[in-house]
Amino acid sequence: MEKPVFNARRIVLLGKTVLPPFLFSSVFTVLLVSLCYAPTASAAALGDTTWADAARFGAQWWLMAFGATIKIQGAALSLMPTLITVLVLAELYRGLRKIDIASWGEAGQVVGIVLAFIAGVGFIARPAGPWWTVFIGGAALSFVIIVAAAGKNLLPAGTWQKYLLAAVPRLRWVVKVVLICGILALAAGVISGWEKVAEIHSMYQKGLGGNLGLVVVQIFYLPNYLVWGIAWALGAGVHLGLGYTSSILGTQANLLPALPVLGILPAGNINTPWLVLLPILIFAILGVLLTRVGKFNTETLGELVRSTLISTLLAALLLALLALATSGSLGAGQMAYFGARPAAVAAFTLLVVALPMLLASVLAHPLIGKITRARLRYWRGLYGERKQKNAVGSAPLSSSAPADNSAVASAKNADGAVNAPSVASSLTTSSMSSPVSMQSAVSAESPASVQSETSAARADAEISAVTAVTAPTTASAPSAPSADSPQ
């Protein structure tokens, strides 16, 4: 039975579940920014910046984690510090799983509580620029978490839900492998570009507070780097600053923003399109393993195709949304854009992940294996039959057949009357014998033996051809005397 929409106790429970992660994360962000400001409060570069300004910027930065766009000295900042976003949404998901959202009315109350808190932070921070976009981002993110936590209670049951649930295990494997690809790409970049990272960081002489703040800011964008690494590994590429693009296919280098973390990116113009074969091979192997190993090997071919298509399409949609969430600006000029293009990420996911995985899964299915083996046996037999016919057609019979036929005909006319009584007597005396002995007797008295005696000078190949031609005559010999044989 559905719970009442307006229930005071239920609303209080929802508030206790929803508010803590948002409240604690906002307070923590404000304190962290203030802590980084403290050692440099008297620095001349900060001008007349006060503690209140630092706290306000901390609150504005927290709003950016949920989609706000703010302006500082005319420059727009919209790149979400997604580490805050991930931590808050993970705690929200855990809490909603416990209280079990039972209706869309309660889902609406959760979204309302989130938007009310965001509005309160915005009223305190008073950010400049179109910061109202945070309400769109906050509502969308809350809705996604609600559906993920209580979708079984909210979404109507149907065939589509059965298909979706059947595709979830395969989707989990796709997401795991995609994450591994992104992590490996990041690790390779850090190992190869660590010296450059340290060199860029050393250019900032901001004291203890400035260096600490620089490190903290970069740490809060860790999930962004992971999504960019995935986009780089799949071939969609990462776009930074003015004209810099890098992917596994190659790099088109231009001036990079002077941020230490960007030192992990390759420099110069590089073309390596052949490297895209590596992720294609990885996901083809994944398709084979999922088809042959575990519970997936019990699927029919139709179920396999359906679940693979659904899982890879969902993966493409998810990665495109993540690319959208992790792209934005940190200023003007070279800082105007950071991130991957969502459309390119979706397209390369379909080409590099979905297509190889689907083809490999279908080819690895047991039914396709049975059909392939049956077709191979059929073609092998057909090839052997044609080979045998070609061998018979290429024998010496084709060249000597006219002469041998005339010789056989003359032998029949000359010796037919003499051989007929002997053949008849042989058949009569061997009527109780086995068919093998009868055949041997007929063969012994056949015109082929006469022909072989009269043509002793012929080559062995020609004798074989004459014997093959005279075989029908020998087989028909017993039919004449059988009518006159004693009963």
Side-chain angles (χ1 to χ4, degrees):
M1 182 176 179
E2 188 174 308
K3 299 177 182 179
V5 175
F6 297 101
N7 185 320
R9 292 184 179 180
R10 187 67 177 173
I11 293 176
V12 170
L13 178 62
L14 292 175
K16 289 181 178 179
T17 304
V18 174
L19 287 177
F22 289 89
L23 177 61
F24 293 151
S25 62
S26 60
V27 172
F28 175 79
T29 305
V30 171
L31 292 177
L32 184 63
V33 172
S34 301
L35 178 65
C36 295
Y37 168 79
T40 57
S42 58
L46 294 178
D48 57 354
T49 303
T50 63
W51 284 89
D53 296 329
R56 283 183 56 203
F57 176 75
Q60 294 171 7
W61 195 38
W62 182 87
L63 290 173
M64 287 174 58
F66 298 95
T69 299
I70 63 175
K71 284 190 175 182
I72 297 180
Q73 296 179 353
L77 281 72
S78 62
L79 188 63
M80 294 169 57
T82 50
L83 184 60
I84 299 175
T85 313
V86 169
L87 293 177
V88 171
L89 295 182
E91 184 62 23
L92 178 62
Y93 173 81
R94 190 181 69 84
L96 294 180
R97 291 277 292 180
K98 286 183 178 181
I99 63 174
D100 192 20
I101 300 297
S103 66
W104 284 109
E106 290 186 352
Q109 293 170 11
V110 171
V111 174
I113 293 171
V114 171
L115 296 183
F117 183 83
I118 288 175
V121 175
F123 177 76
I124 296 172
R126 301 189 308 277
W131 69 277
W132 53 265
T133 55
V134 70
F135 295 107
I136 300 175
L141 292 173
S142 302
F143 177 79
V144 170
I145 296 303
I146 291 169
V147 172
K152 292 182 179 180
N153 299 333
L154 301 176
L155 300 176
T159 304
W160 69 271
Q161 192 177 31
K162 181 182 69 173
Y163 293 159
L164 183 62
L165 293 177
V168 167
R170 191 175 261 103
L171 175 63
R172 289 173 181 166
W173 277 106
V174 173
V175 171
K176 288 177 184 178
V177 176
V178 166
L179 288 175
I180 291 173
C181 291
I183 292 172
L184 291 177
L186 281 180
V190 170
I191 293 173
S192 62
W194 180 253
E195 293 183 357
K196 191 175 180 180
V197 171
E199 179 183 353
I200 297 174
H201 185 82
S202 63
M203 296 169 56
Y204 291 88
Q205 302 295 333
K206 299 295 183 182
L208 177 61
N211 290 331
L212 179 62
L214 185 61
V215 172
V216 168
V217 168
Q218 295 177 97
I219 289 176
F220 272 73
Y221 286 95
L222 278 177
N224 300 59
Y225 311 148
L226 180 58
V227 175
W228 298 350
I230 292 172
W232 187 94
L234 296 183
V238 182
H239 304 269
L240 304 172
L242 299 175
Y244 181 92
T245 302
S246 181
S247 74
I248 197 172
L249 300 173
T251 300
Q252 295 181 356
N254 203 336
L255 294 176
L256 269 173
L259 294 176
V261 70
L262 301 183
I264 66 176
L265 293 170
N269 293 319
I270 305 172
N271 292 317
T272 54
W274 54 271
L275 281 179
V276 77
L277 296 176
L278 185 59
I280 291 176
L281 180 62
I282 290 173
F283 287 101
I285 294 174
L286 177 63
V288 173
L289 292 178
L290 292 181
T291 304
R292 287 291 188 177
V293 180
K295 64 180 180 180
F296 296 106
N297 60 5
T298 61
E299 292 179 323
T300 64
L301 183 59
E303 291 172 344
L304 180 144
V305 172
R306 182 174 56 244
S307 60
T308 303
L309 283 175
I310 293 175
S311 60
T312 51
L313 288 175
L314 287 176
L317 177 62
L318 175 63
L319 290 177
L321 292 175
L322 289 176
L324 178 63
T326 56
S327 60
S329 65
L330 285 177
Q334 294 183 6
M335 310 288 282
Y337 188 84
F338 291 82
R341 309 290 184 186
V345 171
F348 274 90
T349 303
L350 294 177
L351 291 175
V352 177
V353 178
L355 186 59
M357 188 173 172
L358 178 61
L359 292 178
S361 300
V362 170
L363 293 177
H365 193 271
L367 178 60
I368 300 298
K370 292 179 182 178
I371 295 175
T372 303
R373 288 191 295 270
R375 298 301 296 176
L376 287 176
R377 286 195 298 268
Y378 169 75
W379 288 110
R380 192 182 298 117
L382 187 61
Y383 173 75
E385 182 180 348
R386 290 182 178 178
K387 186 176 180 181
Q388 185 177 5
K389 288 182 180 179
N390 292 336
V392 172
S394 61
L397 177 62
S398 59
S399 59
S400 60
D404 294 341
N405 287 338
S406 61
V408 171
S410 61
K412 287 180 182 179
N413 295 332
D415 301 329
V418 176
N419 290 335
S422 60
V423 172
S425 61
S426 300
L427 288 173
T428 304
T429 55
S430 61
S431 58
M432 301 301 293
S433 303
S434 64
V436 177
S437 61
M438 182 174 64
Q439 181 64 30
S440 61
V442 174
S443 301
E445 299 296 336
S446 64
S449 61
V450 178
Q451 182 63 27
S452 62
E453 292 175 1
T454 58
S455 306
R458 290 183 179 277
D460 292 338
E462 294 182 348
I463 295 174
S464 301
V466 172
T467 305
V469 172
T470 58
T473 305
T474 306
S476 62
S479 61
S482 62
D484 299 331
S485 60
Q487 299 296 327

